Amino acid sequence: MKILILCYGTRGDVQPYVALGQRLGERGHHVTVATSPRFREFVESHGLAYAFINDDLLAILDTDGGKDLLEQPGLWGIIRNSIRMVRKVAPIQRALIRESREAAEATDPDFILFSPKLAHAPLIAGQLDIPVALGALIPMHVPTGELRVLLAPGRMNRPWLNRASFALIGFITRRVLSGYIKPFRAELGLPPRRFEPLESASGAPLPVLHAISPAVVRRPADWPETAHLTGYWFLDEPAWQPPDALRTFLDAGPPPVYFGFGSMAGRSPEELAATVLEALGRTGQRGVIATGWGGLKPEALPDNVMLIREAPHAWLFPRMAATVHHGGAGTTAAALRAGRPTLIVPFFGDQPFWGAHIHRLGAAPSPIPRGRLTADRLEAALKEMAGNTAMQKKAAEIGAAIRAEDGTGSAATLIEELASTRKVT
């Protein structure tokens, strides 16, 4: 079977789809991943075919406006800043639609799996008359009264409010994307129809495969049967070997604390690194700082701190005492699988959700939003993770449950079943 995966975003957004694609390839399917060219080598190095989707939307994050977007203190600040960038995004969005269609025409797939940022994919599948499914890394697409999502205040957990927040997210999504989806639908020769994010081109319910462990998010009882929790889609690198300096550092003392914020650079990565080093110095713990894609830029390091650019989380995190990160879905999953307490410092997007949710599970201190991060608050959280045995036990229990799952295998089986039905578009 030929499978096209349309995915877009940062490395953390793309990597789970590559993991699933690799698993599908091992089961005899030919998989093409259409994504940004910055990930072409990454995709092809895992035995998958690559198709082009432009990099322009990601490049915006490297601009001053993009960095401002990452440092907005709340949802409404993000919305205001996003509105100012609409004119830049509009031509990019139209290009993404065109390039997704070209990728499908070139690969002639039997099945399409797509990430939420490419919501036009069901129309392409409808034109080709093939099955399609949404692959989701966060549980904010299928409405439920059981989960607090981005717009629900942290201390309020009411089913009506939870559902209202999903309805508002759906309304915003339709308003933002309908202007692109409607003309594309007409271009494909499909009959007019109101855009609904969870519907196929014909209006049938869209299957949603959530790359989330049921040990972390319990499946809501009010979800439709088209919504699935498969377990996380991990991409392990068993052949990876650490640099000698990293191995020597880890062997020289007790497990350190990991600090990494990926591509969440913002305007002040030097200041953020200074806060981390000050708090860590007060606790007397050792640390590993990952500079990632510019999230942290320390100017000088004490002997008890090791600086790296990156390392596979599956190898590194189990060797840590705890982890501190931005709360991206992939990093959060890896931290939980390691079975160590984890502190989330959310910047934007789904990160506040994960910070609050993992705290409620008992595996993390209360999240500290980037705008409220101080050395005092970080010091207190580090001490809590080091001394709270109940938190350490809960993190270990969740980690053991995740390690017993086979998320990519479960998702691959579901895709094969969905493809066999053929007429779901």
Side-chain angles (χ1 to χ4, degrees):
M1 177 169 61
K2 291 180 292 184
I3 299 171
L4 175 62
I5 297 178
L6 295 165
C7 58
Y8 200 75
T10 64
R11 168 68 178 262
D13 295 316
V14 172
Q15 182 164 307
Y17 298 93
V18 172
L20 177 56
Q22 186 178 56
R23 187 61 175 272
L24 288 162
E26 292 170 355
R27 295 170 75 148
H29 305 295
H30 184 273
V31 181
T32 300
V33 177
T35 191
S36 162
R38 68 176 67 185
F39 301 119
R40 177 170 188 160
E41 182 179 352
F42 173 57
V43 168
E44 293 180 338
S45 69
H46 289 85
L48 307 174
Y50 170 80
F52 174 83
I53 291 180
N54 77 78
D55 197 51
D56 297 350
L57 199 57
L58 296 179
I60 287 180
L61 292 179
D62 297 328
T63 66
D64 289 344
K67 291 176 180 179
D68 287 343
L69 181 64
L70 296 179
E71 292 192 340
Q72 293 300 318
L75 178 68
W76 299 115
I78 292 172
I79 291 174
R80 284 195 302 270
N81 199 46
S82 298
I83 290 172
R84 290 198 297 268
M85 300 174 70
V86 164
R87 289 186 178 180
K88 292 183 179 179
V89 170
I92 297 172
Q93 185 67 47
R94 288 191 289 269
L96 288 173
I97 291 174
R98 184 183 67 253
E99 291 154 2
S100 299
R101 183 183 182 186
E102 290 170 352
E105 291 172 346
T107 56
D108 188 27
D110 302 301
F111 187 93
I112 293 178
L113 179 76
F114 71 99
S115 66
K117 294 182 179 70
L118 302 175
H120 51 270
L123 299 186
I124 298 173
Q127 185 194 36
L128 298 175
D129 193 27
I130 61 172
V132 59
L134 169 63
L137 307 183
I138 55 178
M140 65 167 288
H141 305 286
V142 182
T144 174
E146 297 182 23
L147 289 175
R148 304 178 227 184
V149 291
L150 308 186
L151 305 179
R155 290 184 175 85
M156 297 183 68
N157 187 19
R158 302 287 186 271
W160 68 268
L161 181 60
N162 295 341
R163 286 195 164 277
S165 67
F166 276 99
L168 183 54
I169 289 173
F171 172 78
I172 293 173
T173 300
R174 286 191 296 272
R175 291 285 293 179
V176 170
L177 295 181
S178 289
Y180 311 115
I181 299 294
K182 184 177 179 180
F184 183 51
R185 189 179 183 95
E187 180 184 338
L188 295 177
L190 296 170
R193 189 179 191 89
R194 179 187 176 186
F195 168 62
E196 291 290 346
L198 292 179
E199 290 184 358
S200 66
S202 66
L206 197 66
V208 184
L209 279 58
H210 292 87
I212 303 169
S213 168
V216 177
V217 175
R218 184 180 62 185
R219 188 185 191 283
D222 55 354
W223 265 6
E225 62 179 16
T226 50
H228 308 272
L229 284 175
T230 66
Y232 291 117
W233 303 343
F234 289 116
L235 182 68
D236 293 329
E237 306 284 0
W240 188 84
Q241 292 296 318
D244 291 342
L246 176 57
R247 190 181 291 279
T248 298
F249 177 80
L250 295 177
D251 291 342
V257 178
Y258 168 89
F259 298 87
F261 298 102
S263 58
M264 301 292 108
R267 284 181 173 267
S268 52
E270 296 86 1
E271 176 190 336
L272 183 55
T275 300
V276 165
L277 290 173
E278 182 179 350
L280 189 63
R282 293 179 189 176
T283 68
Q285 295 172 282
R286 303 200 315 147
V288 169
I289 292 181
T291 60
W293 289 266
L296 287 167
K297 289 184 179 179
E299 296 180 350
L301 292 175
D303 292 339
N304 67 332
V305 178
M306 175 78 182
L307 187 70
I308 63 173
R309 184 180 187 276
E310 60 179 327
H313 292 163
W315 186 93
L316 187 63
F317 285 3
R319 293 167 169 81
M320 301 292 105
T323 59
V324 179
H325 54 91
H326 57 294
T331 306
T332 300
L336 291 170
R337 182 169 69 157
R340 305 289 190 267
T342 185
L343 170 67
I344 292 178
V345 180
F347 285 62
F348 81 131
D350 60 311
Q351 298 161 12
F353 166 79
W354 289 119
H357 186 75
I358 305 308
H359 172 59
R360 286 193 294 271
L361 291 179
S366 179
I368 308 174
R370 170 65 185 97
R372 300 186 66 245
L373 184 68
T374 63
D376 289 342
R377 291 189 175 104
L378 181 55
E379 176 191 4
L382 292 174
K383 289 179 176 177
E384 183 179 2
M385 290 191 290
N388 189 327
T389 55
M391 181 181 295
Q392 293 167 0
K393 180 180 178 182
K394 184 63 176 179
E397 290 174 353
I398 293 174
I402 293 173
R403 292 192 296 273
E405 297 169 356
D406 181 11
T408 56
S410 297
T413 297
L414 274 169
I415 287 173
E416 290 168 345
E417 293 173 351
L418 291 168
S420 70
T421 64
R422 293 297 299 172
K423 297 293 185 179
V424 298
T425 60

